Structure formats: structure tokens, C-alpha cells
Amino acid sequence: MISAALMPVFAAAFVASGCYATGTLALRWTRAKVDSIERIPLAFLLGAAFLHLAIFALMSAHLTFRAAWWILIGGLIIAAIRQRAPRSERRAADWTLRIVFGAITIPFTILYFVNAWAPETSPDGASYHLAIVARYLREHGFVRITTSMYADLSQGVELLYAPAFAIGRHSAAALVHFAFLLALALAIYAYGKRIGEPWAGAAAAAIVYASPVAARDGTTAYIDVAGAAIAFASFYWLEIWDTQREARILAAAGFMAGYAFAAKYTLFVVVPVALIYVFRRERRFRPLLIVSSAAAVMIAPWLIKNWIFVRDPIAPFATTIFPTPYLHTLTVQEWAAWLRRYDVKNFWTLPREVTLIGGLTQGTIGPIFLLAPLGVLALRNRHTRWLLAMGAALLATYFGNLGTRFLLPCLPFFALALCLAFARSRIMLTALVLAQAVGSWYSVLPLYANQYTWRIYEFPYKAALRLTPSEQYLGERIGEYNFLRSMEAQTKPGDRILAFAGVAASYTSREIFGSYEGAENNTLTDIFDIARYDPARPSRLLTFHFPEQQTRRIRLMLANRATAPQQWNVHELRFYSRGSEIERSRDWRLTSRPNPWEIQMAFDNSPVTRWRSYQTGEPGMYIQVDFGKSQLVDEIRMWTSHDFEWPMRFEVQSFEAGAWRKAGDSFEETEIPGHPFLGRAATAEILARGVGYIVVPNSDPSAEDLADGYETWGLKPVLHQDGLTLYKILPP
Amino acid sequence: MCACEKQPEFPVPEQRVPIEIPKALSGRILNMDDPGVERYFVGDILTEPSSSWRWAFRHPAVKIRIRTDRPLKYIVDLAVPEITFRDTGPVTISFLVNNHVLDRVRYTTPGEHHFEKAIPPDWIVVGAENVAGAVIDKLWTAPGDGNQFGFILSRIGLAE
């Protein structure tokens, strides 16, 4: 019992110590003069950057066995201990400040520690952040994961969770994230001290630390607080460089800027801001080269990994520039579009939403941030100007994802600017902190915020100490937890499971994936949808007649533009000569633009598969066939559906004398009567694609139909629990 | 891979053969240990999972969607436990389909019993949920907690 409770703490302390140890070695290399307070967060965060690189190397070499963690991290700790720590400047302590802010922040620290220590229940932490880590650990390194676009995002923080998870499981990872929250608060305070405003620094640190979204995020296996700490550290190193002008310090700033991208794509902006900062201070090429080179050291591995695994260095984005078989452009665009709006109807309500309510954007930053604009009162201060500039740059990326937690990187900068505006009044600073602390306390927040806002809900000390069994705690808080545990018994390792619901995938060793996170997911879901939704069936036949062509290659090209998200769907495409179908041959070569990797689905004689452009329809999209020999063709038939039926125009082209020439553009449309049942064909197709199970929640529109007629679908219910049914697909 | 490069080409894939569509089930027999069987319960059946049987109370009933108009039978496997029979003596159970009484059977001995009988076609509503139920005339009161029980249900349904 005790070891089960202490193991996560030990594992997290081991990894955090590894970060700090690595950082002390790096700090010595930088020759930076830092005081004893700032040394702690700066060493921890710089060490995290380098340790993440070392773990990246282990993952790449498929060496992430348990012994490797002990050797790597243990070795770094021993190396740091053996090397005498550089002397840090000690300054006289301000005991009034320590007592005031200590009294305010200590209760929060106890609350946070207990929450991080309790079994991990956060939505993203328990699902993809740790599920991907768990998958890497099972495979002993990186593997191509094509069913989760989250695996394509940079994972600079998750890699630090890997050794913690390997030793102490889920809550060890959350505790590592909590270490980042502590480092962030300490860094903000230290920054205030560095610029001669310790009270402002302490107040800003406490305001950020008490922020409800920082509290919730920083006590789970999310990564946003870590990203905020890393971005702030980059800025911090620039400030140190500004006073010490040592190239190695500049490199440290560059490393942190690059690590910000490695932690989270949206923090890419830290790199250009760092370059602007340096250019404003020293208008020479060399400092810029140092910063950008150091940043590249942290960024490049992630770009290369994605290039190798999914052919798109910044996957899941930019798929029109870097087309990939593993992602569908339209799906990613729709996902990104949702992130840009959530359910917020009026952007002018956002300040109130993210500071006080948090129901739509999933969390609040705390009421005091409504005063953040007052930071401009301190614009006369050079530091404030940089703080606000950096905060504004980070805020710009927020509009790519309106989730409250995406504001976290801005908070240290805006909090410091605000507190610098009141730096002359200790009473005012204390009042600001008290207001934020009281308003953010977990039992006060529900008095004014949305009851469903993402926040700390409880003080789960019994769960943290494992006095409440983890299975019970998780079963009560993760709706599908018991289902996932039972699913282990109903399936075997290697089974692949398509789920029409989000699940805490880190709590199962099976490969379970949802319907939107990858091209394969979309295709499997589409196969199912064709069987269950009438508009998706191949019920429209478009017949193209044109003058007889003697040609080897022929194209059907889209000639007009659709409005998003209308796309081009083709269930089957067949070619005819004088009324007879030209028999499909293995000599044919098929392609399309876009999405050539799925063009075979328009030529497989299956009513439940279809090629889809997965981009909004536009002129120039085509399906092309090379017959392998010259062929007479005078007719094309295209089977499509009603779910996307904008007024399509097409052009048939044949390849003659080295050029594509128009053969025709008219077609007649016929409605195909009758709706044969396609459920069995759909499940057989899904099984043929290596997926043996589906999970259907009770809330799914087809749940009742499947429950009533599972035999006709070729399914067998093998588990029903927590409102989810696990169906095994039977061989046809 | 860049958009300006030549598109990859693929051969014609294996041609799928049409899959024979299984005939729609004309009914369903519910085993009490089927995963998700609770979703068919209308009432008076213990919903907590057990082994292959569940306690039924006074008026257990299940709902079954009927998809064809083929003739159906009411089928049930039940048991009158020794322990309840000792207190209640013989019991009469009425078997109902959509609130029509199909039959009444008096069980004079404890143990397992099977009941099966054809249903008049005009009692069944095709394309909708039909309710198959039973009503017991005497309940047994557990001496410990005072809870009342009817009989043990293993299987119930409407099928060809």
C-alpha cells in the first residue's frame, strides 16, 4: 500500500532531479551569474530541455528499457553531484515578503501536490498525452502512430513523462508537470528580484500560481503549464544575457526558445520574439545565429521525426503543402476551425469567459486578470515593455485555440506587467494576490464560475495516499474506466479497436482509437457511416458520354469550386466502350489529386468504400487511370452520394500527343432506387482492414439499431459496461 | 513529399465480392448473461449483473424489436427456487405479450421450467418494440431484509 502510494512521488522526484542535475551541468557551461533562487527554476528548465533530447535519442534507438532510465537519469544526477555546484549569489532574505506570500501560497501547494499525486483522471492526460507515452514505452521507442494526430504534435514535455510513467505510472507524470508549475512560479518571483522588484515578482508569481487553470493543468499530465514555464525561461535567459552578454547565455535562451516549440507547436512564436529581442539589443548577425542554431537543436528532431513517420514535418498541419497518407486535410481543417471558436458566439465575451466563467473554454485564469490591461501603466519601465511585447506575441497564437489553458504562456508576462504597475504599493500587491487567491480557491470558484468549468474539484488526500484504492477512485471519476479494464479481458494484445467515443486510452494496453484523429480513423468511420446513413450511400449515378477516345490515359477532372466543407466523393468509377464495361486489369495505374493514397477505394467493387478528396472541392482535382495500353473509351460512370452534392461540373480529359485534351463535360444523373442493407459489408470491410472490434456508446445514434440487430451487422456484443458496448466483428 | 511532385500511382485493388445479407432476425431470445441485456429490460428484473440468471420480481418484462411478420413463439426459461417454494407453495405465472395474456401456468413443484407457446400474429407489431412479460401471483419475502422476489429468470424472448 505504502510503496504504491510513494512510487509516483519517487518517480517524479527522480525525473525532476534528473532535470535539475542536467541543468546545473548546463548552467555551469553557460557561465551565467545567477542567484540562489533563480538558479533553481533556470537549472530545472534548461535541464528539462537537454534531458528531453537525451530521451528523444533513446526513443529513436528503441532503448527505452527500465534500466536505461536508471543509467541515464541516475548518471546525470551523479555527475551533477560530483561536479561541485557553482557558487550562486545569496542575497539577504526579505522575511516580510516570504511570510506574506508563503502564507498565501502554501495552502495552494498542498492542494496541488495532493491533486497531482492522486490517480490521473484528466481528459487529455489520461487519453492521448499518456496513451502515446505508454505506447512508446510498450514498443521501447518511437513508432509510427497513424491513428492519432496528437502523436504528430511535438512532445518535448511528454518525453519527460516517459521515465516517470515507466516507474510510477500516471500520477508520476502529473507530478512532473507539477514540478514545472513550481518552477514557473519560482522563475516569475526570481525575475522580479532580478529587476529589483521582488514584491512585484512575488505577487505576479502568486497570481499565476493561484490561477485556476494553471492549478488544474499543472497538476495533471497536460503540458501547458510546462510550455508556459519554458517560454518564460527563454525570455529570462535573454534578460540575463542583456546584462552579462555571454554567447553561451544567448545559446541557453535559444535552447529554451527551441524547447518551447518542442513542448508545444503554438509556442513557436518564442523563437522569432527572441530573435527580435537580440536584434534590438545587438544589431549583429552572430548573436542571431547563436539563438537560431540553439533553437534548431531542439526543434529539428521533431521535424525530422514527423518527416520520417508521416511525411509532414509539422503534422498534422500544412497537409496541403506536405500531403500525407496519414491525415485528411479537411478533417484537420474542421478540427482546427472548432478550436478557433469552441462554442463562443461573441468574441467580446471572451475576457469574462476566460477570467470568470470558463464553461465554454474549459477553465478560468482567475478574476485578477481582468485588471491585466493596467499593466500599460508601467510602460515607462523598459522591462514592462518587453514583458507586454512577449505577452502580446504569445497572445496572438491564442486565437488559434480558444481553450483557456492556451492563455497560460501569456500569464507570467501580463501578471508581471500588472504587478510592476503597482510595484510601489506593497499593500496593493498583497490585495491583488489575496483577491486572486480567494477567488481561485477550489471551493470558492464554483460560487461564480460555470459549474462545469475545468478546475480542481476536491482535496483527494485519501486517493493520493492510496487509502482509497486507485481502481475505485478512477472508476468513480472516469466514466469508461471499468469498461476499459474489462476490455483487457475480452481482447488480446495487438487487437485494434475503433471507438465511436473518446476514451481514457492510457488505461488500456489495447490500440483503441477514435473516429477523427487520423486518415485511417476517418476511412473506417466512413465505411460504417455509409452503411448506416442513407445520404452517404452510393445512390447517385453520373454517366458521362463523350466522343470515342483511343487513349492510354484518361482523367475525370472537377471543374468547379465547392464551398467548405463540400468535397468530392466517388464510390466507384467505371469505364465503358460501346456499351460494355472495360474490365479492370492489374495493369491499370490509378491516381488522383488530392488524396491519391485512397484512390483504390473507387475501384474495389465495394459499395461501402469510397474515395474522398478530403479537401474542399476545387477545379483541377482529378481521378486518373493509365490503362497500360491504348484503349477505346466513350463513357464513364461515377457512383456517388447525396451527402455532398453541390452543383458539380466535370471535364473528361484524355492524354493525346503529349498533352491532356478535353473529351467531354456533359453527364446525366440517375437516382439508384432501393437501399440494400450494407451493414454486413461494412463490418467485413473494417475487419479486412485489421480492426476486429468497435466500441459504441449508448449515446450513439445507431446504438439501438446495433443492439437490436447486431447479428445482421455481423457483430457479437462481448461487453456492455459504463454505457459502452464492445462488439466483436465476426468473419463473414 | 511536396505537392508539386508526381502523384503516386496504384494498381487496381482486389475486387470485393458482394456479401450475402443475413436475413433480418424475426425476434430475439435474451439470455440473462448477455452483455448489455439490461437495455432490453422494461422492469422488475434485477439489473445488477450476476451469473447466468437474475431475480425477477412481480411483473418482469422485456422489450424486443420485431422486424418481420413471420410467426413467433413466446419462450422463457425460469426457475422456482426451493427456498421460495417452501414459503409460497405453488405459484401461478401469467405470460403476456403486449399486455395480452398468452397463458397462465400453475407450478406445483420447485425447480427449472420451460414455457413456449405460439403467439397470435395480430398481437405483434412489426417494426416496433414488443413487450414480453410475466406476472407471478405470489411473492416471496426474504426473511433477512424483507425484500420480495418472484422467480429466477434465465432466458426470455420472442422467436421463431
Side-chain angles (χ1 to χ4, degrees), chain B residues 110-145:
Chain B
E112 294 179 358
H113 303 283
H114 175 81
F115 172 81
E116 187 173 322
K117 187 171 181 180
I119 305 164
D122 57 337
W123 289 10
I124 297 292
V125 185
V126 177
E129 283 175 344
N130 291 256
V131 177
V135 177
I136 188 167
D137 63 341
K138 283 183 270 185
L139 290 172
W140 172 71
T141 304
D145 53 16

Side-chain angles (χ1 to χ4, degrees), chain A residues 327-347:
Chain A
L327 294 159
H328 287 143
T329 300
L330 203 56
T331 311
V332 177
Q333 285 173 345
E334 287 177 345
W335 170 66
W338 189 84
L339 296 176
R340 286 194 296 271
R341 65 173 192 274
Y342 280 57
D343 288 324
V344 176
K345 293 186 173 59
N346 179 355
F347 276 24

Side-chain angles (χ1 to χ4, degrees), chain A residues 672-692:
Chain A
I672 301 169
H675 293 296
F677 177 71
L678 296 177
R680 188 64 189 103
T683 55
E685 183 67 36
I686 291 169
L687 185 64
R689 290 166 181 265
V691 174

Side-chain angles (χ1 to χ4, degrees), chain A residues 652-718:
Chain A
V652 177
Q653 296 180 337
S654 66
F655 193 76
E656 290 171 32
W660 288 98
R661 298 181 196 284
K662 179 176 174 181
D665 58 8
S666 62
F667 64 88
E668 60 193 50
E669 182 170 341
T670 318
E671 186 70 18
I672 301 169
H675 293 296
F677 177 71
L678 296 177
R680 188 64 189 103
T683 55
E685 183 67 36
I686 291 169
L687 185 64
R689 290 166 181 265
V691 174
Y693 295 85
I694 60 170
V695 174
V696 182
N698 286 353
S699 58
D700 189 278
S702 302
E704 282 202 17
D705 276 351
L706 290 171
D708 282 337
Y710 55 81
E711 294 95 339
T712 54
W713 285 78
L715 299 171
K716 180 186 174 194
V718 291

